[in-house]
Amino acid sequence: MTKPNPMLQRLETERFILKPLGRIEAYRVGRANWNHDPEIMRNLVHSSRPLGRLKWLKKMVWVNGKSKFSHAIVPKDGGPAIGIHGVTLQKHRSAVLVVAVHDRQWWGRKVVAEVRRAIIDHAFERQVVDRFCCTVQARNTASVFNYKKLGFKHVGTLHQAQYDPDSGELFDTLIFELLRADWDKQRENRS
Amino acid sequence: MTDAAELKARNAIARALKCAPGAVGPDASVETLPQWDSIGHVNIILEVEGDLGRPLLPEEIAGISAFADIVLIYQRHQASAGPKGGSV
């Protein structure tokens, strides 16, 4: 019998339970909260236009149990999920991260740093990956902040690489990377 | 030029984070200033862009995580603007 993927485990942080999601739950939580939030949609898919059901299933449900894993971010105090964190495994022991916090009451309260730190710790400790690589819109400065805060290094810029169908503008994308060795150094410094 | 750049950077951070300029020391960064969170970061970038009168380049945005990074941006801006009132 094969062991379940470590990314299917439930995790805990100081303030949150990170509950692994199945496809149906990920669809429900994501679509109900993000599809009509232009700001979230723009940051996730570069367009504020709502997506139809099939397109949502294809693009926005980051769950397949093999290479895509999502965790609902649930406050320990109770209440519904305030967002979802997704991990997509890629070739050569790399992974891409994505997160959306739809409950605006939690914005500016360091949710992403806390959640992502736990996910990254877990993925490195359980030998899931050796590297994380993420791309982000250059103007999504809150997201840029979160990558920098976690020690991701800016390793490149894709100029005018993405297109916003709403505004008709091309925009720049930043590439950030975090290697296991750099994370280990950070952890030593923290302790 | 350095003093002017430092002053501008300090004031921009203080305005963005709603703190006293004196609280922004030379070692101020995302690690040392508790107010410097993701929303504070957005505000800092908007303040700097307001001062410079232009949007920051993607590489400049990616490079900001401390007071010193912002000082550098002001210094480069001042250097590229050149001295005022120069003769030919």
Side-chain angles (χ1 to χ4, degrees):
Chain A
M1 206 170 85
T2 55
K3 283 184 186 172
N5 191 299
M7 295 314 293
L8 288 169
Q9 282 183 17
R10 174 186 150 118
L11 305 173
E12 278 193 33
T13 70
E14 192 183 334
R15 293 177 293 170
F16 307 105
I17 293 163
L18 306 180
K19 185 184 157 208
L21 291 173
R23 280 180 68 78
I24 293 171
E25 270 181 298
Y27 175 92
R28 279 190 189 142
V29 174
R31 193 151 192 267
N33 292 291
W34 308 343
N35 206 24
H36 296 285
D37 188 323
E39 200 170 353
I40 288 181
M41 290 298 285
R42 191 181 300 278
N43 285 329
L44 288 176
V45 293
H46 312 318
S47 168
S48 59
R49 292 179 193 165
L51 299 179
R53 286 179 184 175
L54 281 177
K55 209 160 192 180
W56 191 276
L57 259 177
K58 199 172 169 186
K59 283 187 87 164
M60 304 296 283
V61 176
W62 316 310
V63 181
N64 64 12
K66 290 178 183 172
S67 60
K68 294 181 179 182
F69 306 92
S70 287
H71 288 83
I73 306 166
V74 183
K76 284 183 174 171
D77 306 352
I82 63 165
I84 294 179
H85 189 284
V87 177
T88 299
L89 306 183
Q90 299 194 317
K91 285 180 185 174
H92 313 305
R93 295 177 56 76
S94 281
V96 172
L97 304 174
V98 62
V99 68
V101 175
H102 50 256
D103 186 338
R104 281 173 162 69
Q105 288 185 356
W106 286 90
W107 286 17
R109 292 171 66 185
K110 301 178 178 153
V111 175
V112 175
E114 183 176 331
V115 167
R116 203 159 256 175
R117 187 166 279 131
I119 298 269
I120 292 170
D121 261 341
H122 182 72
F124 279 147
E125 273 172 20
R126 301 298 304 271
Q127 303 293 327
V128 178
V129 293
D130 293 322
R131 171 183 177 268
F132 288 98
C133 183
C134 305
T135 58
V136 59
Q137 272 188 55
R139 297 302 307 179
N140 184 357
T141 47
S143 189
V144 171
F145 167 85
N146 284 317
Y147 285 121
K148 304 255 325 167
K149 178 87 179 170
L150 286 167
F152 278 73
K153 286 182 183 156
H154 172 233
V155 293
T157 307
L158 301 171
H159 293 98
Q160 301 181 14
Q162 298 278 356
Y163 173 74
D164 182 341
D166 297 337
S167 66
E169 286 175 14
L170 294 170
F171 56 85
D172 305 322
T173 303
L174 303 171
I175 307 170
F176 285 94
E177 183 180 76
L178 178 72
L179 301 177
R180 175 190 288 278
D182 295 329
W183 188 254
D184 289 344
K185 269 184 210 162
Q186 277 190 60
R187 286 186 72 177
E188 277 172 28
N189 292 339
R190 283 206 300 268
S191 61
Chain B
M1 187 189 285
T2 301
D3 288 347
E6 286 184 2
L7 184 66
K8 283 187 174 180
R10 182 167 288 116
N11 287 337
I13 294 172
R15 286 194 307 272
L17 303 184
K18 296 182 172 62
C19 65
V24 183
D27 62 342
S29 74
V30 296
E31 299 299 333
T32 61
L33 275 181
Q35 305 98 315
W36 195 332
D37 57 16
S38 59
I39 291 174
H41 195 73
V42 174
N43 290 335
I44 287 171
I45 284 167
L46 293 175
E47 287 290 344
V48 174
E49 288 182 336
D51 279 350
L52 301 184
R54 65 165 174 86
L56 290 179
L57 301 172
E59 291 80 4
E60 289 172 329
I61 292 173
I64 293 177
S65 58
F67 169 71
D69 303 324
I70 297 171
V71 172
L72 205 59
I73 290 172
Y74 280 110
Q75 283 174 344
R76 285 184 184 143
H77 178 75
Q78 287 168 358
S80 67
K84 285 179 184 170
S87 57
V88 178

